[in-house]
Amino acid sequence: MDPFEVRIRFTQHLQNLNASVTSANKAAQYALKFKDMDEDLHSCILEQLERNSMNVRANIMYFIEFLCDMAKREGHDSYVLMMRRDIVQIIDAVTPADGSGAANIKVVRKVLQGLQSKEFLQEQTVSEIEECLKERDTHPDASSPLQADVEMTDVAKVSRTNGRSVAKLDKKQIEQRIEEDRERHKRLREHIWAIPVGGEEKEFSKLWEESSNLGDDDYLLYEEEDDAKQESITEW
């Protein structure tokens, strides 16, 4: 396939990213399919971070962690190394210093934590980036630009108060981000409660170890509860 066409199609994948795993998986598979052009495709990521809305930039930020995961499994570390090399440029694009990306602060922090926990980034690097994020976090209490419309309004107000210009999102972009945040939170809850195959015994053992031994107080409590139950039955 022509290199220009590869770039165009990968750019389309990036622009179509959303909260679904499917969209991230398609883009990552495409990047690995044409891994001989990894430098060019990485440059596409940087370009799209500079050119698109804050919503798209947030989606690309999530995608970067997804791509690093898949690249590591496939044994192609180039994408990880390039991400590590350009992480400051990536952060500057997703959360610009002018305050227009304050809505993406939580997204960046979450992805950075994931990259650090998987050893894609060093703890010192993440700590240094966090110091910069504190200066850009114009609305610390707003965990997402779009958990509620009022939060987005507050972000804009605070940014103007600090003398910073803020790129306003239209109603459609706000609604889209709300839905994407909900989808990600839903997947996160499913992941937390999911029990791996063969994990029932481990879960039982964990609960068994954490449970205290029966004592006299426990038997006394059971007797009191039984007396209360018998009394309620008699009254009824």
Side-chain angles (χ1 to χ4, degrees), residues 82-100:
M82 288 185 287
M83 175 279 297
R84 190 177 297 160
R85 179 194 67 198
D86 298 326
I87 188 62
V88 173
Q89 181 180 349
I90 291 170
I91 301 303
D92 284 342
V94 181
T95 57
D98 63 3
S100 60

Side-chain angles (χ1 to χ4, degrees), residues 20-34:
S20 71
V21 176
T22 302
S23 64
N25 191 50
K26 285 182 179 179
Q29 286 182 346
Y30 191 87
L32 289 170
K33 178 180 179 181
F34 295 97

Side-chain angles (χ1 to χ4, degrees), residues 65 110-121 126:
E65 181 181 359
K110 183 176 180 180
V111 173
L112 286 176
Q113 289 173 1
L115 293 173
Q116 179 185 333
S117 66
K118 297 166 185 173
E119 300 183 347
F120 292 140
L121 288 176
V126 175

